[in-house]
Amino acid sequence: MMQKLYGLKDLKQIHATIVKTSIPQDYSFQLSKLIELSALSCNRGCFLYAHKLFSQIQNPNLFIYNTMIRGSLINKQSNEATLLYIQMRKQNILPNNFTFPFVLRACEEQFELKRGEEVHGCILKTGFGSNLFVLTTLLNMYSLCGRSSGASTKVFEEMPVKDVVSWNSMISGHLRHGELELARKYFDMAPDKSLVSWNSMVAGYANLGNMIEAEKFFMEMPAKDATSWNSLISGYVKVGDVISAERLFERMPERDVVSWTLVIDGCVKNGHHDRSLNLFHQMQLAGVEPSVITLISVLTACANLGALELGRWIHCYIEKREFTLDNKLGTALIDMYAKCGDIGKGLEVFSSLECGKDVITWTSVIVGLAMNGKCREALDFFTCMVMEGIKPDEITFVGVLCACSHQGFVNEGRQYFDSMMKEYNLRPRIEHYSCIIDLFGRAGLLEEAKDLVENMPFQADSVILGSLFAACQTHKNVELGEQVMELLVEIEPENKGNYVILSNIYAVAGRWENVAQVRKKLKEKGTRRVPGCSSIEVDYQVHEFLSGDRSHSRSMEIFEMLDLLRGYDK
């Protein structure tokens, strides 16, 4: 009976054998063993079959209930585990030391504190209040579900025996509630400190950005594993110190997929997109298989750099390795294709997503269509999304209002802007005001744009004022242009581009004296051109160049080739 199983087919064959060969007295016992095999399988079909078998037993005993509750947790059905426990109690079957830990874990996963408290009461009534394993699980439940660490502290203080696991639960519990000093207190008090204890403290300080203390604990550790290194790297990434994160990464004796993903994602989040792609290339050379999180980070870098060829390669890799194309990975692909200019392929990805598309996925398509000039299609997608019963969020409306702005849909823009509060109870943010003011400015509705700027619930930023300023130039409104310029000088006095626009406004109006005054002011401030930047993707790597820059490793060859090409032109 306990032979290795390969799936539902094996279970059905064994069940058939039991039915044919078992005598009535042994049938229930044999069936309970079969339930054990099927319930504890990680196969969803086998678990459902266990449920079917369970329903055939008129009076299931404690062993069968424990098996089904445990199987529910293995198959990520914590709600089912709770329901089975309730059913068991209704049948007056008393739980034991095997039941409680599984039920408490189910409460943890569902954040059901009230149910956990009821189970705690049952633990005390049934005499398991001194069982170390049960109490440690209870400690974890309170730590995860409680709003404070008070209940877990009470359980811990009343424990007759405390092992390293229970001490670690207290340390991690206090860290979870942001109580770093208390966590440190329990760490110092713990008679035995395991690797988990040390890692918890390193991660605790690192998560709060206290890298001095985190590194101090890291250096004092008697032994380190990948989690130790990764916790410290994660901390440096969070505080934006990518250089220290990479230095630590280079020192690691062994790097796992988490280590690689942390530094790649850290580079992406801190704007070092080209570096993240180089690291991804090194990761491949090292033979480390990327995770879904790695791929999402790399796709984000491709989107920001316009590295379409590498993005396509990753898409092929996802299909070849049969990664599940869930909403997060699908959205990253759509965003990459949209930002790289291939919105058609992005729409293909959107259509291929089998799981229910969420608001983030729909929004990525709407923003992508607007970004690629397909503004009417973006609004059509918004209508479809609403008809599917998906409520738009603030970012969705940024995409919708951008589409209206780019195409000059003034009436639609007004309607969508008004509907944010009226229909969806979303308070417009500065990004939404920026879009609608840009729409009005492009359409020549400068007074309406000005009124909106003056009546916003927050101070206008340089983006909004710059948009209105540009509209003043387009529509030759000198008076409003001068008013906006006064505000811009207060916000960004060193931005010389504003003086250039003001000069152009005066020039269009034929006010040459004012043009001369502005140019004189500009000369007094001194001008410095921002060097032009370009990038090119070669063999899945993106190379960036600044005007006059010779820092590229192959700059000599590049300039020689340029000189050669100039010679051909002559």
Side-chain angles (χ1 to χ4, degrees), residues 200-265:
S200 294
M201 292 306 299
V202 172
Y205 279 110
N207 288 336
L208 289 175
N210 188 340
M211 298 311 299
I212 294 173
E213 284 297 319
E215 190 159 343
K216 184 181 173 185
F217 267 92
F218 180 80
M219 297 303 292
E220 290 175 359
M221 291 179 75
K224 298 178 182 70
D225 63 0
T227 303
S228 320
W229 292 85
N230 292 340
S231 296
L232 200 58
I233 291 170
S234 176
Y236 279 122
V237 167
K238 281 181 181 176
V239 298
D241 189 354
V242 184
I243 294 172
S244 295
E246 281 201 59
R247 281 176 184 161
L248 197 64
F249 174 76
E250 295 296 333
R251 285 169 45 204
M252 283 186 77
E254 288 184 21
R255 303 163 190 151
D256 58 12
V257 64
V258 177
S259 318
W260 284 99
T261 301
L262 279 169
V263 289
I264 289 170
D265 191 53

Side-chain angles (χ1 to χ4, degrees), residues 12-84:
K12 288 181 176 178
Q13 287 177 348
I14 294 172
H15 190 191
T17 304
I18 290 172
V19 172
K20 284 181 182 178
T21 60
S22 289
I23 56 174
Q25 292 90 329
D26 287 342
Y27 181 72
S28 293
F29 173 75
Q30 298 281 6
L31 199 60
S32 69
K33 286 294 181 185
L34 184 60
I35 288 171
E36 184 180 10
L37 285 172
S38 49
L40 302 184
S41 167
C42 289
N43 184 298
R44 174 71 177 157
C46 294
F47 179 66
L48 292 173
Y49 193 68
H51 254 287
K52 210 177 260 187
L53 297 173
F54 178 74
S55 64
Q56 294 178 18
I57 299 177
Q58 290 184 350
N59 297 304
N61 58 25
L62 179 59
F63 171 79
I64 293 174
Y65 267 114
N66 282 348
T67 302
M68 288 300 297
I69 290 169
R70 183 182 169 199
S72 298
L73 283 172
I74 290 171
N75 287 277
K76 304 188 186 307
Q77 301 289 319
S78 52
N79 185 54
E80 185 64 34
T82 307
L83 292 173
L84 284 163

